[in-house]
Amino acid sequence: MLNRIVDKAKQRAYWQENTALIRNLLIVWALVSLVFSILLVQPLNALRIGSVPLGFWMAQQGSILTFVALIFIYAVQMDKLDRKYGIRK
């Protein structure tokens, strides 16, 4: 009985950390895709990366690179989380 209680508490903690990670990555995704690439595109266009306006670059390349980085961050963080809680594949 005690093992079941410990297991339930461990499961709850695991899923809380998992959903917190997902929430945080989705917030970054929303900021990059909506705020920087759409809402702030005009102010960001005043800055340049080489000869390209930053707002345009964020909408075309920066958001894609951020999304790929988020995938790798998620994979690495989930691997750490799985090891922390002893989840085996």
Side-chain angles (χ1 to χ4, degrees), residues 24-49:
N24 294 338
L25 294 177
L26 283 174
I27 289 169
V28 171
W29 171 78
L31 283 172
V32 169
S33 65
L34 296 173
V35 176
F36 294 135
S37 297
I38 297 172
L39 299 175
L40 295 178
V41 72
Q42 293 301 324
L44 289 176
N45 278 338
L47 304 171
R48 295 190 166 278
I49 294 180

Side-chain angles (χ1 to χ4, degrees), residues 2-15:
L2 184 59
N3 281 342
R4 288 181 107 186
I5 295 171
V6 171
D7 288 342
K8 291 259 187 206
K10 193 174 178 181
Q11 285 177 346
R12 188 172 297 118
Y14 173 80
W15 283 107

